[in-house]
């Protein structure tokens, strides 16, 4: 599918930002859900933070692995869509929304889920195998996206697609900590389902509606274009 021009109109960017938000929540919720299954129902989660149940320390490798496992599955699902040339927007969006560059950066600097997991095997050298692992998992989806773009535009289209949707989300962790920090640390009690406050669920539903709105506007704009 060489020559696909990933759209950068406001509608597509709105949908992509919403999908990035939802993918981040899905990543953290998978950590959280693994903790609920393995350790019991007293774990807590907010927009981007989670706290495992007391006494769950022995199970942390499994709960840590759960989040990135989902992210990589979604990236590779996106790669398949790109390679097949079917639903190319969704293929690109699934790769982008699961933050391949951020996963690589955090692993290379000694952080991230991959770094924590490799620290079990190589405590002093964890960034190196973690970086190699992330490279092996993110380069094929990124390469598929790169190859599908027009040769003359690859140099700016893929970096722009990877970076622009992340900018509106940079402040989310700080806002999350300010609003839900006491909940995560067990200092306040909030109405919650599955350890997630109802206000967080409402936020995610709102973002899902924004995704639908962005895709609907994109479709309507395309259908109304010149014939």
């Amino acid at each position: 599918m060489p020559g696909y021009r990933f759209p950068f109109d406001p509608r597509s960017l709105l949908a992509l930002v919403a999908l990035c938000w939802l993918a981040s929540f899905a990543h953290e919720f998978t950590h959280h859900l693994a903790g609920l299954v393995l350790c019991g129902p007293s774990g807590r989660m907010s927009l981007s933070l989670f706290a495992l149940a007391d006494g769950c320390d022995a199970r942390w490798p499994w709960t840590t692995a759960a989040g990135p496992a989902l992210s990589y599955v979604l990236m590779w699902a996106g790669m398949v869509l790109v390679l097949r040339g079917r639903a190319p927007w969704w293929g690109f969006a699934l790769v982008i929304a699961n933050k391949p560059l951020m996963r690589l950066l955090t692993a290379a600097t000694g952080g991230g889920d991959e770094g924590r997991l490799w620290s079990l095997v190589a405590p002093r050298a964890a960034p190196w195998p973690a970086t190699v692992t992330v490279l092996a998992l993110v380069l094929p989806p990124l390469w598929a996206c790169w190859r599908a773009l027009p040769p003359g535009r690859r140099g700016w289209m893929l970096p722009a697609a990877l970076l622009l949707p992340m900018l509106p989300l940079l402040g989310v962790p700080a806002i999350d900590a300010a609003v839900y920090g006491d909940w995560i640390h067990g200092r306040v009690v909030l109405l919650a389902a599955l350890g997630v406050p109802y206000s967080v669920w409402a936020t995610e539903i709102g973002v899902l509606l924004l995704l639908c709105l962005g895709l609907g506007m994109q479709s309507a704009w395309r259908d109304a274009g010149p014939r």
Side-chain angles (χ1 to χ4, degrees):
M1 190 195 61
Y4 175 68
R5 298 183 180 185
F6 192 83
F8 285 97
D9 57 88
R11 302 153 191 83
S12 296
L13 287 175
L14 173 65
L16 190 54
V17 170
L19 187 62
C20 289
W21 177 294
L22 293 171
S24 294
F25 180 79
H27 175 102
E28 301 301 336
F29 184 72
T30 304
H31 284 305
H32 172 69
L33 187 61
L36 294 182
V37 171
L38 294 173
C39 308
S42 59
R44 297 174 301 281
M45 184 182 164
S46 59
L47 295 171
S48 61
L49 304 170
F50 68 95
L52 297 176
D54 294 339
C56 197
D57 291 347
R59 305 288 183 91
W60 75 262
W62 302 106
T63 61
T64 298
L70 174 69
S71 296
Y72 291 125
V73 166
L74 292 175
M75 276 189 227
W76 281 64
M79 179 183 70
V80 171
L81 291 176
V82 170
L83 292 175
R84 290 184 176 179
R86 298 177 181 176
W89 187 91
W90 279 105
F92 273 76
L94 283 173
V95 174
I96 292 162
N98 285 282
K99 302 179 180 65
L101 292 186
M102 185 62 68
R103 304 221 64 80
L104 182 58
L105 178 63
T106 55
T109 55
D113 298 323
E114 296 84 356
R116 290 194 67 200
L117 291 169
W118 271 106
S119 69
L120 293 171
V121 180
R124 296 185 178 180
W128 295 102
T131 302
V132 171
T133 300
V134 175
L135 278 171
L137 290 168
V138 305
L139 282 183
L142 289 174
W143 179 247
C145 292
W146 172 269
R147 291 287 297 169
L149 292 170
R153 301 191 177 192
R154 291 169 180 163
W156 70 266
M157 288 186 77
L158 186 58
L162 289 167
L163 296 174
L164 287 179
M166 304 302 156
L167 297 179
L169 306 180
L170 292 178
V172 172
I175 295 171
D176 191 15
V179 175
Y180 292 105
D182 288 339
W183 156 256
I184 290 295
H185 291 96
R187 293 191 288 263
V188 299
V189 176
L190 299 175
L191 293 175
L194 294 176
V196 182
Y198 288 132
S199 56
V200 172
W201 287 120
T203 300
E204 300 309 314
I205 292 172
V207 175
L208 179 59
L209 291 175
L210 278 179
L211 172 62
C212 295
L213 176 63
L215 292 176
M217 291 171 65
Q218 180 194 59
S219 178
W221 179 268
R222 184 175 60 247
D223 294 341
R227 297 179 182 274

